[in-house]
Amino acid sequence: MRKPLSLLLVEDEALIALNLKIGLERAGFAVNAVLATGEKAVERMDQEPADLIVMDIRLAGTMTGIEAARRIRNRHPVPIIFMTGFTREDYGPEIDELGPSLLLNKPVTSESLANAIEEIRG
Amino acid sequence: MAYKLADLIDIEQFQHLQDRLNAIYSFPSAIIDNDGVILTATAWQDACTKFHRLNPECEVECLKSDRYILDHLSEANPAVSYRCPHGLVDNATPIIIEGIHYGNFFTGQFFLEPPDLDFFARQARRYGFDEAAYLEAIRKVPIWTRDQLEHYLYFIKGLIEIITESGLKKLREIEARKKIEASEARADVVIQKMLDGFWMVAADSGRILDVNDSMCAMLGYTREDLLALSVADIDAIDDSDEVARRMEKIASEGSALFESRFRRKDGSLLDVDISVTYIRDQNLFFGFHHDNTARKAAEAASRESEDRYRTLFEQSPDGVVILDPATARPLEFNEQVCRQLGYGREEFARLSLADIEVIESLEESLRHIKKIIETGHDEFETKQRTKQGEILDVLVIAQVIRSGEASIFHCIWRDITERKRVDARLKKSLAEKETLLRELYHRTKNNMNVIGSMLELQAAYSGVPAVEAMARDTERRIRAMSLVHQMLYQSKDLSHVSLRQYINELLSLLLHGYSTETRDIRLETEIEDIEAVIDTAIPCGLILNELVSNCFKHAFPEGRPGSVRIRLSRVDPLTLELVFSDDGVGVAPEFEYRKQNSLGFQTIIGLAEHQLQGHAGFEIDNGVTWRIRFSDQLYAARV
């Protein structure tokens, strides 16, 4: 049996975050932390790196999910699953530059997220 | 005209004179013109005509004599003389009048000393003449002295010259008179037949003395009528003193050209151009007049047309400038140009395009003008500087107007500064509204997702499976709606979504949600690409959500394999048809779909028939088939 993944969930909408967290935990994943801003995500990764990040793009605070991912990627080569209510046209090129990642269109269900995690994990 | 001698001399009369003279002095003589025609002749000697010139051998000598005389005519003073080998003398005097040689006067066949009869007796024997008859003829030949001959020649030459000169003068007079008569006849015909009116008026009385046919026709009088009138009767100037003053002025200046107006016999007026000449020695006025009614009318029309265009030009709401293409300076311009650029007329007239144009340099403007002259037309926007330094946005409509060899460079300068400002404000406002609307769609979709999450959470915490199932159904309905908002946010016009794309994405979500139940279900879709507004797309999506959810939940129990077919098509310009069918377990034959209490059925029928004003049909065959028709034209686009 593989070592359980440690996940970092970055989503500023509390109810959506909570719903995803419960769904992921039911699916057997360990969600290390649920954060609402990019700044906190960067800080958290330096303190306690996770194996995978689920990142909303539009976040509270001044940093977007993409900006946060860029900073994190400099030090931690972890896969990132982005979620956005916008379109691939809006963010696609920037995300492609960041290396291993996936983009899911919102609304993201716990099931589709779990499938995406399995896919990126390989 | 070139005359012949016979034209100048009365030949018959001169022959008579010559005969008389010959009766006094037997003197053979002849006048022969330059063509060799013998005009007069008298007293030829028998010695010559009956002997010398009849014998061919002897005649050779006579011909030598003729030749010598002709060859030496130019030396004649007054005559050229030759003593022939037979001893007789011949003379010729050229008849020259005013340097022109008309012919010759010949005299001869006489002796200047008594003849040597022995010589002639030898001649008779040599040429075989009858000696007695020949010597008799010789004896008859007159013997003259040189003095006699000279007097005779001077006399005859003078006489011929007097007669010829007189004839020449007479002929010339006749010819000149004929010319004058012909010219007068021509002038008469011209005057009578010319289209312009002609009249001759006595300067002292103003009486009309002569008129031509055109004058009569133009004024509607007969010739007799007019000859009984005076100038004042036909001149439309009412003041007779004025007519008199004018005639006086013409008399003093000799001639005049002026416009005037005649009164016809019927009282109507005739505009005329008049040319009058005063003949002082006859105290007459000669006048010609030309009907200028048509010209005056054309001039008036032209003036009127010019006034009209001038008004259009001046009152144009746009600046209008005629530019000199070579210098880019204004040749003509209207008030509006001055107003919009803040210059006075005189100031503007001194400006060059370079003083006004902001974007192009003078060289660029001149190049641009050259190009426009080649193409004939251009329309472009530029910026111009007013006198006060304000920058105007200007639409330039440049047109090359070609008139014969000349070209006019006509420009309309339309001040579009305000329009551009309004356009920019509108564009900004539109962009703001677009942003706002996209944001709104996005937030609506987001909020729907949050509501969906709330329901899921609530269900998860309830621990009651029926509540969880209910929450999931509701969440799917919310998601079907939220998907439209997402697509609207992505759509170009923020108003329409592609039903094909929407249905495919919705089906993908549903398949994902029912991944366990649909493992062995084949989904076939045939969706026409139809653009729909939100008011059509949402109910359509909700109907499909119910049909598919219901099917996945009940039609294929316990992993039963099968297929589902979904088709959307336009059946007429107003109506779409959504056909959903499955080959699942179906329903009992007595199943009445309209009497079903389930929320799903009521939702389908309510949305199709109440909201979309269509019809929901249900058929039981190999499984079930729903046939839903609705209009996609109930709602117009709202943005």
Side-chain angles (χ1 to χ4, degrees):
Chain A
M1 194 175 160
R2 288 194 287 188
K3 181 191 166 217
L5 274 183
S6 63
L7 299 182
L8 181 61
L9 179 59
V10 190
E11 162 66 69
D12 60 343
E13 289 280 357
L15 291 174
I16 290 176
L18 185 55
N19 194 26
L20 286 176
K21 182 174 180 282
I22 290 169
L24 287 172
E25 283 170 350
R26 279 187 178 181
F29 296 103
V31 180
N32 283 13
V34 180
L35 303 170
T37 69
E39 289 87 342
K40 281 186 177 167
V42 174
E43 196 182 321
R44 172 82 186 194
M45 280 299 286
D46 283 343
Q47 289 164 2
E48 194 179 327
D51 298 323
L52 190 143
I53 303 169
V54 177
M55 179 89 83
D56 188 15
I57 291 179
R58 206 151 87 157
L59 293 166
T62 55
M63 201 182 284
T64 66
I66 290 174
E67 180 56 31
R70 205 172 280 138
R71 293 186 186 201
I72 291 166
R73 270 282 166 78
N74 285 337
R75 297 187 282 271
H76 312 284
V78 294
I80 299 173
I81 296 172
F82 290 101
M83 302 182 292
T84 180
F86 295 91
T87 64
R88 173 152 266 286
E89 287 79 56
D90 293 329
Y91 297 115
E94 287 179 80
I95 289 169
D96 289 344
E97 279 175 18
L98 287 170
S101 58
L102 272 179
L103 178 65
L104 298 180
N105 267 320
K106 281 182 158 184
V108 177
T109 60
S110 312
E111 291 82 14
S112 61
L113 188 52
N115 288 342
I117 292 169
E118 292 298 343
E119 187 187 321
I120 206 164
R121 198 181 184 191
Chain B
M1 186 177 167
Y3 295 112
K4 290 187 183 299
L5 199 52
D7 299 328
L8 307 180
I9 297 174
D10 185 335
I11 299 299
E12 200 181 333
Q13 196 179 16
F14 199 83
Q15 177 73 54
H16 189 63
L17 270 180
Q18 229 173 312
D19 289 341
R20 289 293 175 97
L21 194 60
N22 200 54
I24 303 167
Y25 302 105
S26 177
F27 227 88
S29 63
I31 297 173
I32 301 176
D33 73 8
N34 285 341
D35 298 327
V37 178
I38 299 168
L39 300 177
T40 61
T42 185
W44 299 117
Q45 289 301 316
D46 290 347
C48 292
T49 55
K50 291 182 177 167
F51 295 94
H52 297 152
R53 288 188 188 256
L54 285 182
N55 183 302
E57 196 187 341
C58 181
E59 197 196 10
V60 171
E61 302 299 330
C62 302
L63 294 176
K64 269 187 198 163
S65 170
D66 292 349
R67 183 79 260 150
Y68 178 89
I69 293 218
L70 286 173
D71 288 348
H72 292 79
L73 264 178
S74 60
E75 301 155 18
N77 184 26
V80 55
S81 290
Y82 184 71
R83 189 173 181 277
C84 82
H86 306 303
L88 280 79
V89 176
D90 276 342
N91 285 277
T93 304
I95 302 166
I96 294 171
I97 310 294
E98 296 179 359
I100 294 170
H101 181 203
Y102 286 95
N104 302 296
F105 177 73
F106 289 92
T107 184
Q109 297 179 350
F110 52 81
F111 295 120
L112 285 175
E113 50 199 36
D116 175 0
L117 291 177
D118 291 340
F119 167 78
F120 287 103
R122 282 194 302 276
Q123 287 265 95
R125 285 191 295 275
R126 181 178 171 189
Y127 295 116
F129 299 149
D130 176 344
E131 190 176 332
Y134 179 55
L135 289 177
E136 181 55 33
I138 292 294
R139 272 187 215 99
K140 279 186 186 166
V141 174
I143 302 163
W144 285 55
T145 65
R146 283 199 176 274
D147 276 353
Q148 278 178 308
L149 174 63
E150 201 158 294
H151 286 311
Y152 177 79
L153 286 177
Y154 272 113
F155 168 75
I156 208 82
K157 179 177 160 66
L159 181 65
I160 292 172
E161 279 177 2
I162 287 168
I163 292 172
T164 310
E165 255 176 21
S166 145
L168 184 63
K169 198 175 163 192
K170 198 169 145 196
L171 272 179
R172 282 197 177 138
E173 275 173 7
I174 290 168
E175 199 174 300
R177 197 165 59 244
K178 276 185 183 164
K179 271 188 188 163
I180 289 167
E181 280 169 4
S183 164
E184 281 178 351
R186 269 199 307 276
D188 266 359
V189 170
V190 169
I191 285 175
Q192 280 309 320
K193 300 298 173 195
M194 68 194 285
L195 293 173
D196 286 349
F198 163 76
W199 37 267
M200 186 168 80
V201 165
D204 50 2
S205 62
R207 297 283 296 193
I208 298 171
L209 302 177
D210 194 8
V211 291
N212 69 351
D213 295 346
S214 294
M215 173 81 170
C216 300
M218 276 188 214
L219 297 183
Y221 285 107
T222 63
R223 183 178 164 78
E224 289 65 38
D225 286 341
L226 282 170
L227 296 186
L229 297 176
S230 71
V231 175
D233 298 322
I234 56 168
D235 202 314
I237 299 173
D238 292 330
D239 184 353
S240 60
D241 287 348
E242 175 63 28
V243 176
R245 267 198 297 280
R246 184 189 279 169
M247 286 169 68
E248 214 168 283
K249 188 163 183 281
I250 298 167
S252 74
E253 291 174 0
S255 66
L257 280 171
F258 55 93
E259 283 184 12
S260 188
R261 188 170 277 186
F262 284 157
R263 193 182 304 284
R264 293 192 183 90
K265 190 178 183 183
D266 65 9
S268 62
L269 298 176
L270 175 70
D271 284 312
V272 286
D273 288 326
I274 297 185
S275 159
V276 184
T277 305
Y278 176 59
I279 309 294
R280 192 168 301 283
D281 56 2
Q282 297 174 51
N283 202 23
L284 292 173
F285 289 115
F286 283 92
F288 294 92
H289 69 262
H290 178 75
D291 178 356
N292 68 17
T293 313
R295 199 196 77 217
K296 297 274 269 193
E299 280 173 2
S302 166
R303 257 198 313 279
E304 195 183 319
S305 165
E306 199 184 316
D307 287 351
R308 199 161 48 234
Y309 284 106
R310 169 62 56 183
T311 307
L312 278 177
F313 181 78
E314 279 305 337
Q315 296 191 354
S316 164
D318 295 321
V320 185
V321 184
I322 312 285
L323 279 182
D324 178 349
T327 61
R329 286 181 181 278
L331 296 171
E332 263 195 85
F333 49 89
N334 67 357
E335 283 297 323
Q336 176 57 24
V337 161
C338 300
R339 266 198 301 277
Q340 77 192 30
L341 289 167
Y343 288 100
R345 279 196 78 88
E346 283 170 16
E347 282 176 317
F348 187 81
R350 287 193 298 272
L351 295 180
S352 155
L353 199 55
D355 301 317
I356 303 160
E357 173 65 36
V358 172
I359 293 178
E360 290 179 344
S361 68
L362 182 60
E363 288 71 27
E364 285 168 334
S365 292
L366 288 171
R367 272 201 299 277
H368 195 165
I369 288 170
K370 205 174 157 200
K371 206 171 151 207
I372 295 169
I373 285 174
E374 283 165 16
T375 57
H377 176 86
D378 195 14
E379 196 169 318
F380 58 96
E381 286 185 14
T382 189
K383 290 183 187 293
Q384 295 181 344
R385 185 179 289 103
T386 67
K387 186 184 177 187
Q388 293 72 29
E390 191 194 338
I391 304 296
L392 301 182
D393 285 299
V394 177
L395 172 69
V396 179
I397 302 167
Q399 183 77 42
V400 179
I401 299 167
R402 294 195 168 89
S403 164
E405 288 292 299
S407 290
I408 295 169
F409 197 73
H410 180 275
C411 296
I412 292 175
W413 290 355
R414 183 171 298 159
D415 180 0
I416 54 167
T417 314
E418 190 52 34
R419 199 185 82 192
K420 296 273 276 188
R421 266 184 214 139
V422 170
D423 278 357
R425 272 205 300 274
L426 273 175
K427 271 188 194 146
K428 188 162 175 274
S429 163
L430 199 63
E432 282 168 1
K433 285 193 174 70
E434 262 191 44
T435 307
L436 204 65
L437 201 56
R438 280 185 203 281
E439 188 63 24
L440 200 62
Y441 286 141
H442 182 74
R443 283 181 190 277
T444 305
K445 181 200 151 197
N446 242 16
N447 287 343
M448 285 179 157
N449 291 345
V450 172
I451 293 166
S453 291
M454 274 183 197
L455 281 166
E456 269 192 48
L457 280 170
Q458 191 72 55
Y461 277 93
S462 76
V464 180
V467 174
E468 282 187 36
M470 199 175 68
R472 262 198 303 280
D473 284 348
T474 307
E475 202 220 336
R476 278 192 198 97
R477 292 182 183 119
I478 292 169
R479 207 174 293 162
M481 292 172 74
S482 119
L483 190 56
V484 172
H485 286 275
Q486 177 180 332
M487 292 184 65
L488 278 172
Y489 159 78
Q490 292 166 1
S491 81
K492 285 196 174 70
D493 66 355
L494 296 172
S495 178
H496 289 83
V497 296
S498 153
L499 284 181
R500 179 191 280 169
Q501 192 191 347
Y502 173 50
I503 290 172
N504 283 334
E505 289 197 19
L506 184 61
L507 290 174
S508 157
L509 278 176
L510 286 165
L511 279 174
H512 200 77
Y514 291 98
S515 55
T516 319
E517 296 89 334
T518 58
R519 204 163 292 154
D520 295 314
I521 297 175
R522 198 154 43 86
L523 186 63
E524 292 169 26
T525 58
E526 196 186 325
I527 314 291
E528 204 174 302
D529 200 6
I530 293 162
E531 294 279 315
V533 294
I534 184 171
D535 306 271
T536 307
I538 287 181
C540 182
L542 288 174
I543 290 170
L544 201 61
N545 180 65
E546 294 307 320
L547 292 172
V548 173
S549 300
N550 192 45
C551 167
F552 289 172
K553 275 194 258 179
H554 307 296
F556 302 98
E558 294 161 359
R560 176 190 160 113
S563 61
V564 170
R565 297 189 70 238
I566 299 169
R567 199 180 75 233
L568 177 78
S569 58
R570 180 175 292 289
V571 290
D572 65 48
L574 299 176
T575 315
L576 303 183
E577 184 181 66
L578 177 66
V579 181
F580 177 93
S581 57
D582 67 52
D583 56 0
V585 295
V587 290
E590 64 275 14
F591 182 83
E592 289 186 56
Y593 76 105
R594 286 196 182 271
K595 292 190 177 165
Q596 298 304 308
N597 253 343
S598 81
L599 178 58
F601 272 60
Q602 289 189 30
T603 302
I604 293 165
I605 294 166
L607 287 169
E609 298 187 346
H610 172 77
Q611 190 161 331
L612 291 177
Q613 299 284 297
H615 177 261
F618 182 80
E619 297 155 22
I620 304 165
D621 41 23
N622 185 27
V624 298
T625 296
W626 284 88
R627 197 177 296 277
I628 294 163
R629 290 195 168 199
F630 57 92
S631 167
D632 63 341
Q633 307 294 320
L634 284 177
Y635 301 95
R638 293 170 199 265
V639 286

